[in-house]
Amino acid sequence: MVDRLEMMEKRYEELNQLLQDPEVVMNIKLVTEYAKEQKNLEKTVVLYRELKKLEASLPDLREMKKSDDEDLALMAAEELEESENRIKQINEEIKLQLLPKDPNDDKNVIMEIRGAVGGDEANIFAGDLYRMYSKYAESKGWKIEVLDTVESEMGGYSSIQFMVKGENIYSFLKYESGGHRVQRVPQTESQGRIHTSIATVLVMPEAPELEFELDMNDIRVDTFCSSGPGGQGVNTTYSAVRVTHIPTGVAVACQIHRSQHENKAAALQLLRARIYDQMLQEKEAKEGAERQSLVGHGERSEKIRTYNYPQNRVTDHRIGFTINRLDVIMDGKLDLVIQELINEDQKRKLEAESSK
């Protein structure tokens, strides 16, 4: 492990020098690549340097602990204990830092929420989930940009697509893809019966143009009049846009913006993310066992979580985690669940590494 840490520290310093090289500074792609690599190394290198400093101080502290000066010996003993505890803590943190990283963890994400099973109630719950993610994003200091919506007559959304921008977003939200089941008395229920409905969530890492470029020769663009809930007309101009990736058949439509230009830009952004996500899914499918061993990397149609309103309960089925704080989770305190998923994911990865 020490050899690996030494190599990481050396590479970190090399990147420092490269990022000051005039030739590199003129190359945006290289600057982006090197800065990203350096940022990924930074936390591990900082921890390793602290570890070396603490370990270097141990012999002196042990010697001072033997001093005839009681005050000095007591102070040294306390500092020695603190240093040894911190060394243990850093070693555990470094183990986590050295686990294989998802290259998409630091990316922004594009999310899609759809009412799936349960008609109007599923659409209403899709709206509730969007509010939950919006409040969660606000608590993290992230920004949300709505790309397109299809509103439901009874409230909520038949579908909503939006981008979340900020720091390391995919590392948190990647666990959210799948079926979200709600059990409650719907607003549309007159006899007080509990219904079960499902909304689906899709989380896709943003595909920056520097990393993934769509060939516009493979894209077909169609325009049409935008419409509101239930198909009612909103305008008579052809401002809505549908873009189709001919090689794969993947199509995305956008009608939320007033201008055709804005809708086309948003649709291409969504399409790029879908194609990139499809490529990632195919790559992960080939990796087989590794993919299936990790939390949150199952089938996209998988039912991952249940929100039971009568019992104020949220259950994540992938890790068997249940918490009776649905009200605060729907208010954006989603880390209560996501942190448990991260912990379990790290635990499984550590077990996988130790068994190699």
Side-chain angles (χ1 to χ4, degrees):
M1 188 172 82
V2 173
D3 289 344
R4 188 175 169 189
L5 290 168
E6 286 290 341
M7 288 173 62
M8 291 173 79
E9 185 179 33
K10 183 180 178 183
R11 178 58 178 165
Y12 183 81
E13 287 304 323
E14 285 176 357
L15 290 166
N16 267 339
Q17 297 302 315
L18 285 168
L19 287 166
Q20 295 173 45
D21 186 322
E23 289 186 17
V24 171
V25 171
M26 295 298 290
N27 188 322
I28 295 174
K29 190 171 183 179
L30 270 181
V31 168
T32 303
E33 182 184 324
Y34 290 156
K36 180 181 176 182
E37 185 183 354
Q38 187 188 53
K39 187 177 179 182
N40 288 337
L41 290 171
E42 187 171 24
K43 187 171 181 181
T44 307
V45 170
V46 168
L47 283 169
Y48 180 50
R49 286 174 175 173
E50 184 185 354
L51 179 66
K52 288 195 292 184
K53 187 177 177 182
L54 285 169
E55 287 180 335
S57 72
L58 294 182
D60 287 342
L61 289 172
R62 286 173 181 143
E63 194 61 36
M64 288 167 63
K65 187 180 173 183
K66 300 174 185 176
S67 173
D68 293 334
D69 185 324
E70 290 185 8
D71 290 339
L72 181 62
L74 181 61
M75 182 184 70
E78 289 174 353
E79 193 172 336
L80 179 63
E81 185 179 0
E82 287 175 6
S83 295
E84 288 174 337
N85 288 337
R86 178 58 184 154
I87 285 170
K88 289 177 185 176
Q89 185 182 6
I90 291 173
N91 275 315
E92 291 304 310
E93 290 181 36
I94 286 176
K95 282 180 187 177
L96 292 177
Q97 288 298 311
L98 293 180
L99 288 174
K101 285 184 171 57
D102 187 328
N104 294 303
D105 273 354
D106 61 347
K107 284 187 170 67
N108 296 327
V109 305
I110 290 177
M111 295 184 70
E112 176 184 271
I113 307 174
R114 289 183 177 273
V117 178
D120 291 330
E121 168 63 5
N123 295 338
I124 291 168
F125 184 55
D128 294 339
L129 288 175
Y130 172 66
R131 283 188 289 276
M132 177 185 76
Y133 290 123
S134 297
K135 290 182 177 181
Y136 181 58
E138 184 181 354
S139 73
K140 293 282 191 183
W142 301 338
K143 301 296 181 186
I144 282 185
E145 175 189 339
V146 176
L147 299 175
D148 195 39
T149 65
V150 179
E151 295 182 7
S152 171
E153 286 182 323
M154 297 300 293
Y157 302 97
S158 295
S159 69
I160 179 168
Q161 292 91 22
F162 54 97
M163 174 172 280
V164 191
K165 299 179 179 179
E167 291 286 321
N168 298 316
I169 294 178
Y170 190 71
S171 67
F172 291 92
L173 291 178
K174 64 184 176 183
Y175 302 100
E176 295 304 293
S177 284
H180 293 243
R181 182 175 69 174
V182 61
Q183 295 173 325
R184 65 183 178 187
V185 179
Q187 299 172 21
T188 53
E189 168 60 51
S190 58
Q191 297 181 23
R193 291 174 299 187
I194 294 173
H195 286 228
T196 297
S197 303
I198 296 173
T200 59
V201 175
L202 177 62
V203 180
M204 301 172 286
E206 182 188 16
E209 291 183 39
L210 283 171
E211 295 182 31
F212 175 74
E213 188 175 347
L214 276 178
D215 185 346
M216 290 306 295
N217 293 319
D218 291 335
I219 306 298
R220 186 179 71 242
V221 180
D222 301 302
T223 59
F224 57 97
C225 292
S226 61
S227 61
Q232 67 192 53
V234 171
N235 62 49
T236 55
T237 61
Y238 286 80
S239 60
V241 174
R242 179 182 293 105
V243 291
T244 305
H245 186 243
I246 297 168
T248 61
V250 176
V252 171
C254 187
Q255 62 175 3
I256 191 174
H257 303 290
R258 289 188 177 275
S259 78
Q260 188 182 111
H261 174 74
E262 288 177 304
N263 281 324
K264 181 181 176 183
L268 285 172
Q269 196 172 31
L270 278 166
L271 183 67
R272 186 181 292 109
R274 282 190 178 279
I275 302 298
Y276 183 60
D277 185 61
Q278 190 176 78
M279 289 167 57
L280 292 176
Q281 293 297 311
E282 289 170 359
K283 179 174 178 282
E284 288 176 352
K286 289 176 183 176
E287 292 170 359
E290 180 185 352
R291 168 187 159 89
Q292 292 172 15
S293 70
L294 305 182
V295 175
H297 290 249
E299 294 300 319
R300 291 300 176 91
S301 59
E302 174 188 7
K303 180 188 71 179
I304 64 167
R305 195 172 297 149
T306 294
Y307 304 73
N308 185 294
Y309 276 71
Q311 298 176 17
N312 196 35
R313 170 173 56 81
V314 174
T315 298
D316 195 287
H317 303 288
R318 294 163 294 180
I319 59 173
F321 173 73
T322 294
I323 183 170
N324 291 93
R325 298 189 68 186
L326 180 147
D327 51 345
V328 297
I329 288 168
M330 296 305 294
D331 198 42
K333 307 297 190 297
L334 194 54
D335 270 333
L336 291 170
V337 179
I338 287 180
Q339 194 55 55
E340 293 294 328
L341 289 160
I342 291 172
N343 293 344
E344 180 63 23
D345 205 3
Q346 290 176 340
K347 177 186 169 187
R348 294 185 189 183
K349 285 176 181 176
L350 283 169
E351 288 172 351
E353 285 294 304
S354 63
S355 64
K356 286 182 180 178

